[in-house]
Amino acid sequence: MPVSKTAYELREELQHERIVIELAKHVGVTYKASEQHGEIGSWRRSLPVLAEMLCAAGLGHVQVLLEYRLPYSPKRVDAILCGVHPETKSPSYVLVELKQWSDAKTVGTGLVKARGGRRQPDLHPAEQVRRYCRQLLDFVPAFARVPGQVKGIAYMHNAVRDAEWTLDEFEYDDFGQLYTSDLQGDLLSDLWSVLDADPATAGAAMAAAHELISAPPAPARNLLKTAADAFVARDDFVLLDEQQVAYKTVLDAVAEAESDGENKRKKVVVVNGGPGSGKSAIAVTLLAALARQKRKALHATGSRAFTETLRDKVAGDEERSGEIFKYFNEFRREPADALDVLICDEAHRVRGMPAHLHGKVRSQIDELIEVAKVPLFLLDEHQVVRPGEIGTKTDIISIAEGKGCEVVEISLDGQYRCGGSAKFDEWVVRMLGLGSEPPVVWSELVEGSEDEYVVDSAGSPHELESWLLRQAKTFSGTARMAAGFCWEWHDPVTVDGELRLLDDVQIGGWRRPWNARQGFEVPGVPSASLWASEPEGFGQVGCIYTAQGFEYDWAGAIFGDDLVIRNGEWVARRDFSFDGSVNKAEPVRFDRLVRNTYKVLMTRGMQGVCVYSTDDETNDFIRKFAR
């Protein structure tokens, strides 16, 4: 739960540091009395300003929710003021984004750079809080029905507007307003218009805060359904923070590419983020926006399942619309700058094998950069799962700079899959030994936090399957099982005149088929491309090539004998892999690829995961850390 205080209580506790200690525990950061940077430093500098202002304005009785985490998102609102509307007497909420910037400059549409801030641009503060409001309304249905209850403001309490001030070149609305220290009078007038200053409303303000804290959030909208809406109903994702920065950066680069400026260089945008950080949401939203602008834009991936699913779910029966979804290897003979934008989704799957064109040998990255005025690469280096995939940030930047391009790098630090749990991604990385930190018990990692992601393990495949069925029935949602490529995969056979899948995945007496192979139509079974999205997919076991790029509510991940624990260390064993391309890789490369494979399988679930290994020693290890 977020930390909740009246403004009077907040002012009092800030004098004794108690509130800072409580906030540090709430968000999971280490409290240090001498810390002057990061979140602790921000609380010490910004919260006293907010508390003093509210108390001086006669709003000391208003409830202040601090570090409120938005539903289905890792993002937190600095403060939400909860009170009563002076006219309607109904609950009223003001989302507040506190900025310590003393100055900032506009650098693009809705983008700013703060003095002494980061190298990459930030979202305009009013746009940031506007999108937080929209996210709240999207996932708290009770508020969505009465949007007038919610208001958003950004407060740059160290800034004073001057003759060079450019941030007001922005279209403000009730969800997104910006105030500086010299506009505090206007800010107070705004607050008084939506928060009753009568101290007698203190009880109602507390009830309003409780209503927000206890409001059940609606499930996150499925990527594919929203993608379809983006083209049919023109309804986009709500992109937050760095996601929106990436989106705006591409649109600005497109506009710049059409300008007549001298010595203009092609911009290559590289967006790096972990599983569920919003890369595909950016891709689909951009594609919809560019389509509405009648730009020449295409979407490309290296995944047949992902591409065909987008063609089916987004384009539907519209064959021409389906043509916007291509593969990386389809641009070899296209002229330079034939497209306005090429969106390279899952760019970690770009192949390293050279291609021949007009007597020249070029890498696939070179081809993708060449064909578009603005190439966009969306990648996660931990999802490279096959030899020959070279879509690392270093590779892309090196080739782009070698071609004389300007590279814009953007990092996505959020986690929107897995219930918005950044801690779960950390847990997976640590358990698989993909980082420098040792494995950690899940319950200990999330102790004291608001993290609600479900992590469990099973003693058998029967238990894992039962767990998935129980979770899907009890808490609703989709469930899928996926496994390492440790069993042969046969074509379906004909039985009584109909094709049927063979039970290739056999663990003791438990037997299940792989999902259907590409090119086969098996009655009652979805195609390989639609295994993750069609309801009938639960009866089969998916593999890395049908699971990667997709999401479902409840994930079952089965470790095979290609990656086991021996004496507390992971050991990759190529002799147990049936993936013909991966098991030919050199030992060090095979080890990394197989670990990345299981990371992908474990991070498909939006609400929870259950993990099982066919190897007893490995399963004991998993069960120890999945508690």
Side-chain angles (χ1 to χ4, degrees):
M1 291 178 60
V3 176
S4 180
K5 308 284 181 183
T6 66
Y8 287 132
E9 291 170 338
L10 176 60
R11 182 175 63 176
E12 175 65 23
E13 294 192 19
L14 281 166
Q15 296 176 11
H16 303 287
E17 195 75 357
R18 288 195 300 266
I19 191 69
V20 176
I21 297 172
E22 188 175 352
L23 283 170
K25 182 179 179 181
H26 166 63
V27 304
V29 300
T30 302
Y31 171 79
K32 294 181 180 178
S34 59
E35 181 65 70
Q36 297 299 318
H37 302 288
E39 290 185 291
I40 290 177
S42 296
W43 296 329
R44 287 182 173 138
R45 288 186 290 271
S46 291
L47 293 183
V49 176
L50 177 65
E52 287 293 342
M53 180 184 69
L54 292 173
C55 293
L59 296 172
H61 61 284
V62 165
Q63 286 286 322
V64 184
L65 300 186
L66 297 173
E67 299 297 334
Y68 173 88
R69 198 184 82 174
L70 292 166
Y72 294 95
S73 165
K75 299 297 181 181
R76 289 180 266 110
V77 185
D78 288 341
I80 300 183
L81 311 182
C82 308
V84 175
H85 197 283
E87 296 180 3
T88 66
K89 305 303 178 184
S90 60
S92 186
Y93 305 90
V94 181
L95 278 65
V96 182
E97 181 65 21
L98 296 166
K99 293 293 185 188
Q100 300 174 59
W101 303 341
S102 60
D103 191 19
K105 301 294 182 185
T106 302
V107 294
T109 308
L111 303 179
V112 301
K113 270 196 173 181
R115 179 188 296 170
R118 300 188 298 176
R119 291 180 59 188
Q120 72 183 40
D122 289 288
L123 215 51
H124 189 293
E127 181 69 6
Q128 181 181 358
V129 75
R130 172 190 288 162
R131 289 177 174 275
Y132 287 176
C133 289
R134 287 181 57 190
Q135 183 83 357
L136 187 67
L137 295 180
D138 272 347
F139 295 107
V140 182
F143 296 154
R145 290 190 290 270
V146 192
Q149 289 183 297
V150 177
K151 187 176 183 65
I153 64 170
Y155 185 28
M156 290 175 59
H157 54 84
N158 290 329
V160 176
R161 295 173 304 156
D162 56 21
E164 298 181 359
W165 181 259
T166 61
L167 267 63
D168 285 340
E169 297 169 3
F170 186 84
E171 189 174 341
Y172 297 118
D173 58 24
D174 281 347
F175 287 169
Q177 292 284 339
L178 174 65
Y179 296 97
T180 50
S181 62
D182 55 313
L183 291 176
Q184 190 177 105
D186 292 341
L187 170 56
L188 293 178
S189 295
D190 208 0
L191 293 178
W192 286 326
S193 71
V194 292
L195 297 171
D196 199 323
D198 185 353
T201 62
M206 182 178 293
H210 178 74
E211 182 179 341
L212 174 56
I213 293 170
S214 60
R221 292 184 292 178
N222 179 272
L223 167 65
L224 300 175
K225 181 180 184 302
T226 307
D229 290 343
F231 285 88
V232 178
R234 299 187 176 185
D235 175 30
D236 300 342
F237 281 94
V238 177
L239 302 180
L240 300 177
D241 293 354
E242 292 86 359
Q243 295 174 343
Q244 182 70 0
V245 169
Y247 172 84
K248 288 291 189 182
T249 297
V250 172
L251 293 184
D252 284 351
V254 173
E256 187 178 322
E258 291 188 340
S259 66
D260 298 325
E262 295 182 5
N263 301 319
K264 186 171 57 183
R265 291 197 295 162
K266 175 182 288 192
K267 279 189 177 179
V268 176
V269 183
V270 180
V271 178
N272 189 31
S277 57
K279 297 184 295 296
S280 292
I282 295 168
V284 171
T285 306
L286 265 173
L287 203 54
L290 293 165
R292 292 196 292 269
Q293 294 179 12
K294 296 183 172 54
R295 301 284 188 182
K296 291 180 288 184
L298 293 177
H299 178 283
T301 79
S303 165
R304 182 173 180 179
F306 193 36
T307 299
E308 291 193 2
T309 301
L310 287 170
R311 286 174 175 171
D312 180 80
K313 298 298 182 182
V314 178
D317 295 329
E318 296 294 328
E319 185 175 345
R320 290 183 64 195
S321 297
E323 287 300 308
I324 65 174
F325 299 105
K326 300 290 185 182
Y327 296 102
F328 292 145
N329 62 3
E330 295 188 273
F331 300 95
R332 292 177 181 172
R333 294 173 176 82
E334 298 301 321
D337 296 338
L339 303 173
D340 291 314
V341 179
L342 178 60
I343 301 169
C344 301
D345 203 353
E346 298 211 321
H348 41 267
R349 304 204 63 181
V350 171
R351 306 294 288 175
M353 293 181 293
H356 295 267
L357 180 61
H358 305 313
K360 296 189 298 182
V361 177
R362 300 195 303 175
S363 73
Q364 199 170 75
I365 294 173
D366 188 290
E367 295 172 358
L368 298 172
I369 292 173
E370 192 76 11
V371 76
K373 297 174 184 175
V374 181
L376 167 64
F377 293 89
L378 299 147
L379 62 99
D380 173 8
E381 294 176 309
H382 284 315
Q383 289 199 48
V384 174
V385 296
R386 300 188 76 173
E389 293 176 348
I390 63 163
T392 67
K393 186 171 69 169
T394 301
D395 289 325
I396 295 169
I397 292 173
S398 175
I399 292 173
E401 291 181 341
K403 292 173 65 65
C405 301
E406 177 185 349
V407 178
V408 181
E409 294 181 61
I410 296 171
S411 296
L412 304 178
D413 58 5
Q415 167 60 264
Y416 295 83
R417 191 182 288 142
C418 305
S421 174
K423 288 184 179 296
F424 176 66
D425 193 56
E426 176 190 347
W427 179 79
V428 173
V429 168
R430 292 175 66 167
M431 195 186 80
L432 290 173
L434 289 168
S436 58
E437 294 294 318
V440 61
V441 175
W442 170 248
S443 58
E444 295 176 2
L445 182 63
V446 299
E447 185 177 5
S449 74
E450 288 187 300
D451 202 301
E452 296 180 353
Y453 195 72
V454 179
V455 174
D456 208 343
S457 61
S460 71
H462 298 280
E463 285 184 26
L464 180 139
E465 190 170 22
S466 296
W467 186 94
L468 292 170
L469 289 169
R470 183 175 65 250
Q471 295 299 108
K473 181 178 180 180
T474 305
F475 301 102
S476 75
T478 55
R480 294 291 185 275
M481 297 174 287
F485 211 150
C486 297
W487 294 266
E488 288 190 83
W489 194 341
H490 296 98
D491 291 343
V493 297
T494 302
V495 178
D496 297 331
E498 282 191 349
L499 283 180
R500 292 188 184 177
L501 301 177
L502 293 175
D503 290 335
D504 285 323
V505 183
Q506 301 184 15
I507 307 171
W510 186 84
R511 301 184 173 194
R512 293 294 182 272
W514 287 113
N515 59 258
R517 294 178 76 108
Q518 293 285 0
F520 288 94
E521 293 185 8
V522 181
V525 175
S527 68
S529 298
L530 303 181
W531 167 81
S533 56
E534 293 294 326
E536 297 81 7
F538 182 76
Q540 310 99 48
V541 178
C543 75
I544 181 62
Y545 304 118
T546 43
Q548 189 172 30
F550 296 99
E551 58 191 29
Y552 21 90
D553 292 287
W554 303 101
I558 299 174
F559 278 60
D561 289 341
D562 58 349
L563 186 66
V564 298
I565 287 289
R566 293 293 179 263
N567 299 317
E569 300 291 335
W570 287 107
V571 177
R573 306 190 296 182
R574 71 173 69 243
D575 293 344
F576 292 90
S577 172
F578 283 87
D579 191 329
S581 60
V582 174
N583 60 23
K584 292 183 177 66
E586 60 182 9
V588 174
R589 181 71 169 162
F590 176 81
D591 179 279
R592 185 64 181 216
L593 293 175
V594 76
R595 294 195 204 206
N596 283 354
T597 292
Y598 285 111
K599 182 178 189 295
V600 171
L601 298 186
M602 293 173 69
T603 54
R604 300 302 92 193
M606 297 172 67
Q607 297 191 56
V609 66
C610 187
V611 188
Y612 164 76
S613 172
T614 56
D615 178 76
D616 290 342
E617 185 175 342
T618 307
N619 209 44
D620 289 343
F621 176 86
I622 290 172
R623 304 205 81 178
K624 173 183 176 181
F625 292 105
R627 291 184 286 111

